[in-house]
Amino acid sequence: MKKNLFLLLFCILLFSACNKKVEEKFNNQNIDKKYVQRWTIPDTESELKIKEDGTYLYGHPMWDGPFAFGKCLMKDGKLKVLYPDSIDINENNDSYKKHDLEVLFQNKDSIFLEYDSEYLDFNTIGCLRREDMIITTFYGEESPANKIYTRNGIKVKKLPKYSFIISSENMKLRDNPTMESNVMTFCHGWQYRNFPYDCVNGNVLWLKKDTNLLFKGYPVETIASTEIETEIDGISAPWYLILDSGGEEDFTHEFWVWGGYAELIQGDSYHYESSVEDKSAFINACIEHGIIKIEK
């Protein structure tokens, strides 16, 4: 009896020691640096943040923050992401969290992710691959400009950083690069940034901010142009994907404008100082469309 008890205690101690060694080995795992990033999980609202210490966070990067926490380790050159140790989900109103958790951890299983250095898309170089999923990041090495990529199903040429267009006509903002696509109404932030107050003789009264036009003379950032040109009014030109926001705290919005009356300009920062002539044309367009009124 005592012999059996001694054997049982010995086995328990041996098991605990082995577990401790495994835990120490796990804690000392060196996560390959190419995995240590913030990864955007497709078809979810969430990011997977891999940390150097072998832990991860999973959740929305801004709204509620991470809601799942766990460990990961390198195994056979791949990253094994274990099912979360801790999950913070309110069963009543956290439907997106439950969905996002199931997308990444199907059937509550751990997953294996493999880094693919050959992958290239509009934003970055490299991705993580699961058997049925490609996981990309906005925080890695930026892919080269002046190449053709497929972005949201559209073949586009990626333009260099700090590219701008200035139009000589008021151009409609559209949600896709076709004349048949929807015209977009936009609440612009000109009042707070980029408005050329230095060219106005008097006080500017803001009457409205909504517009469905890119006003002539206004420099706006563009990140891509369509590979295929469209002919309008006898002019053949690409469409430009432009970025702008409605103010200091507003998210950036994307719009398409046809480039037949636009000049493509390369700047050296996110602010482009346009000419006095372009500033005057922009101010007059704002007046004509009831955006502003000038009191002298």
Side-chain angles (χ1 to χ4, degrees):
M1 181 70 178
K2 288 183 178 180
K3 186 177 180 180
N4 290 339
L5 182 59
F6 175 79
L7 184 61
L8 178 61
L9 289 172
F10 176 77
C11 290
I12 291 172
L13 291 172
L14 182 62
F15 180 75
S16 298
C18 290
N19 272 355
K20 187 175 182 180
K21 286 183 179 180
V22 170
E23 184 177 349
E24 288 176 354
K25 185 179 178 182
F26 176 83
N27 289 335
N28 291 329
Q29 284 288 331
N30 292 319
I31 303 301
D32 196 317
K33 288 185 178 180
K34 57 180 173 276
Y35 290 94
V36 180
Q37 292 190 52
R38 293 162 55 186
W39 300 93
T40 303
I41 308 304
D43 302 320
T44 74
E45 303 287 345
S46 296
E47 277 187 351
L48 176 67
K49 183 177 181 180
I50 306 296
K51 302 174 72 176
E52 290 182 355
D53 63 359
T55 62
Y56 69 83
L57 313 174
Y58 185 52
H60 196 282
M62 296 181 65
W63 293 345
D64 301 323
F67 65 85
F69 311 84
K71 301 181 182 70
C72 48
L73 67 156
M74 298 301 301
K75 187 173 182 180
D76 300 327
K78 296 181 181 180
L79 184 74
K80 184 176 183 180
V81 183
L82 307 180
Y83 190 75
D85 295 327
S86 173
I87 301 173
D88 180 18
I89 293 182
N90 183 325
E91 292 296 329
N92 295 324
N93 53 21
D94 283 346
S95 58
Y96 93 84
K97 293 181 181 179
K98 288 182 279 189
H99 168 268
D100 291 4
L101 193 65
E102 174 61 26
V103 169
L104 186 60
F105 298 99
Q106 296 175 349
N107 303 316
K108 297 185 177 180
D109 291 331
S110 300
I111 59 172
F112 281 93
L113 301 175
E114 186 171 11
Y115 185 79
D116 180 0
S117 62
E118 300 297 321
Y119 178 84
L120 190 70
D121 67 14
F122 184 86
N123 297 298
T124 59
I125 298 171
C127 75
L128 298 183
R129 290 187 181 273
R130 197 178 71 179
E131 290 181 359
D132 59 342
M133 184 184 291
I134 294 176
I135 302 172
T136 58
T137 177
F138 289 102
Y139 313 101
E141 182 182 355
E142 188 173 346
S143 57
N146 297 315
K147 285 183 171 289
I148 301 298
Y149 301 92
T150 299
R151 186 181 188 275
N152 296 331
I154 302 169
K155 282 196 171 184
V156 297
K157 176 183 178 182
K158 181 176 180 177
L159 298 175
K161 197 173 183 180
Y162 310 135
S163 292
F164 295 84
I165 58 169
I166 296 181
S167 179
S168 59
E169 298 290 337
N170 300 320
M171 302 300 298
K172 288 183 178 178
L173 304 169
R174 297 187 181 272
D175 64 351
N176 278 296
T178 67
M179 291 296 290
E180 295 73 33
S181 63
N182 295 326
V183 176
M184 307 298 290
T185 299
F186 177 48
C187 181
H188 207 287
W190 292 317
Q191 181 176 354
Y192 308 105
R193 60 185 190 88
N194 294 344
F195 189 83
Y197 290 100
D198 58 320
C199 291
V200 177
N201 184 19
N203 295 322
V204 178
L205 296 180
W206 289 86
L207 306 177
K208 66 176 184 177
K209 300 175 185 176
D210 291 351
T211 180
N212 59 11
L213 297 171
L214 170 63
F215 288 144
K216 58 186 176 181
Y218 177 72
V220 63
E221 182 186 0
T222 177
I223 60 173
S225 60
T226 54
E227 181 185 33
I228 298 174
E229 296 188 346
T230 300
E231 184 175 331
I232 302 173
D233 297 336
I235 303 171
S236 185
W239 291 77
Y240 289 99
L241 180 60
I242 64 173
L243 302 179
D244 222 341
S245 64
E248 293 294 332
E249 298 181 357
D250 191 23
F251 290 107
T252 300
H253 302 272
E254 296 185 354
F255 307 96
W256 288 96
V257 293
W258 180 64
Y261 299 106
E263 179 185 3
L264 180 63
I265 301 166
Q266 184 60 48
D268 56 12
S269 74
Y270 284 115
H271 174 77
Y272 182 80
E273 188 68 24
S274 55
S275 67
V276 173
E277 291 76 15
D278 283 327
K279 289 179 179 179
S280 297
F282 171 55
I283 292 168
N284 290 333
C286 286
I287 295 172
E288 291 169 7
H289 288 82
I291 302 294
I292 64 170
K293 178 181 177 182
I294 297 177
E295 284 189 343
K296 298 184 178 180

